[in-house]
Amino acid sequence: MTGPVVVGLDGSAASVTAAWWAAREAAERHLPVVLLHSWTTQPLDVPIAQEAHNKKRYGHDVLQRTAAELLHRHGDLALTTELVSEPAAQALLSHGENAAMLVLGSRGHGSVASFLLGSISLHVLGLAQCPAVTVRAGAPAVEAGWEHPAAADRDEVVVGVQELGPDAEPLLEFAFTAAELSGTRVCAVRALPASALVTHPQALAAQQADRDREAEERTRLAAVLIPWREKFPDVPVVEHVAMGSAAQVLLAASAHSRLTVIGRRRHPSRRTWKLGPVAHAALHHVPCPVAVVPHD
């Protein structure tokens, strides 16, 4: 992975938490950090006058204050700041062409937030050409630090594997790299729709059929993971195959995750974006950081 880790920073608690997470990831990966603030796209609750001069001053103060805090935490971090006039989404997507990842804050409480409106974050998540990560404000493991007891039970990187072919490779690369750096395991998750045969006397046959399908899918998933086990021999791996909707299975598996990784198919036009129901569920309800990784 090359390029900087680019953080969208607006001064809110959510964006500052995202900057903390991004700085730690960048330090572990030996990558530079770019703190980006769009002075034309600021939170509605910023208590400043609307003149351009004051907006720029607010943005400059936010960048400098956060940069100083990150450098205090990570003294050898390569860090730069950018105060831009472009709309936040446009500036982030431009940086995403060459970035290792984009990092955004999420206010949580059931809604995906961004610098101004949730639609900005969703726009970036749906169109970014590199992985984009949302970090929920108040995430205890991020704010307390990964060594804190509050983070002790968050010992795995969960990756949703909906596709078993080449489309899964960018997700698995991201997940295994993150797990290796953090010294945790990978939990590869795959969901299967439950059988519709639930009435007696078909119920027993349906249950057996479901068990057979689950065992078969676990075998297929294990086969996909073989080259990744070889590439990352020090990373423990578990396969989790369960009946239910993909969103339900992923949310249940992410209850103790330190990072959840999901995929998004690139759109040929790069103008139209769409996040599926699994991505929406994860972004709205998973308490840990969520990485949306684009694939072809």
Side-chain angles (χ1 to χ4, degrees):
M1 181 175 284
T2 59
V5 176
V6 181
V7 187
L9 187 69
D10 64 3
S12 66
S15 70
V16 173
T17 303
W20 293 347
W21 184 89
R24 184 181 179 92
E25 287 293 305
E28 290 179 341
R29 298 168 188 262
H30 304 289
L31 295 175
V33 170
V34 176
L35 299 180
L36 176 69
H37 179 89
S38 167
W39 67 265
T40 58
T41 313
Q42 294 179 341
L44 289 172
D45 56 353
V46 173
I48 60 175
Q50 296 303 305
E51 291 84 358
H53 175 74
N54 286 334
K55 285 189 174 185
K56 291 179 181 178
R57 175 178 293 178
Y58 170 82
H60 177 269
D61 291 346
V62 164
L63 289 170
Q64 295 306 307
R65 182 170 62 248
T66 306
E69 182 175 343
L70 297 185
L71 291 173
H72 177 73
R73 292 179 176 223
H74 307 279
D76 57 350
L77 188 68
L79 187 149
T80 58
T81 62
E82 291 190 21
L83 182 65
V84 300
S85 60
E86 300 101 312
Q90 178 183 327
L92 282 167
L93 289 174
S94 295
H95 278 74
E97 296 289 339
N98 299 303
M101 71 178 82
L102 302 176
V103 184
L104 309 170
S106 169
R107 294 191 184 108
H109 305 297
S111 63
V112 176
S114 63
F115 308 166
L116 182 59
L117 297 172
S119 60
I120 297 176
S121 276
L122 292 175
H123 189 77
V124 172
L125 292 165
L127 285 177
Q129 296 301 301
C130 66
V133 183
T134 62
V135 181
R136 190 178 292 275
V142 177
E143 296 195 344
W146 290 115
E147 297 82 7
H148 192 276
D153 64 341
R154 297 193 172 275
D155 60 350
E156 62 185 10
V157 174
V158 169
V159 54
V161 187
Q162 289 184 277
E163 305 288 342
L164 294 180
D167 289 346
E169 292 181 2
L171 285 73
L172 293 170
E173 179 79 42
F174 192 93
F176 272 84
T177 300
E180 182 180 54
L181 291 170
S182 59
T184 55
R185 71 181 185 181
V186 166
C187 177
V189 177
R190 184 161 172 77
L192 292 176
S195 173
L197 300 176
V198 295
T199 59
H200 187 77
Q202 297 173 316
L204 292 178
Q207 290 173 6
Q208 183 59 51
D210 284 345
R211 285 193 292 268
D212 292 343
R213 289 170 55 220
E214 192 172 324
E216 180 182 348
E217 286 301 317
R218 187 173 288 106
T219 299
R220 294 178 62 200
L221 179 58
V224 170
L225 295 173
I226 288 175
W228 299 99
R229 292 178 187 268
E230 295 173 348
K231 185 175 181 180
F232 296 88
D234 296 328
V235 176
V237 185
V238 294
E239 299 95 21
H240 178 73
V241 178
M243 294 292 172
S245 72
Q248 291 172 336
V249 172
L250 183 69
L251 291 181
S254 298
H256 299 289
S257 173
R258 65 179 290 145
L259 174 68
T260 294
V261 182
I262 57 178
R264 171 190 61 79
R265 191 172 297 279
R266 287 190 178 94
H267 196 277
S269 71
R270 294 193 180 185
R271 294 182 179 180
T272 303
W273 61 270
K274 181 179 180 182
L275 292 172
V278 177
H280 276 284
L283 292 167
H284 282 73
H285 300 296
V286 171
C288 68
V290 176
V292 180
V293 180
H295 60 80
D296 294 325

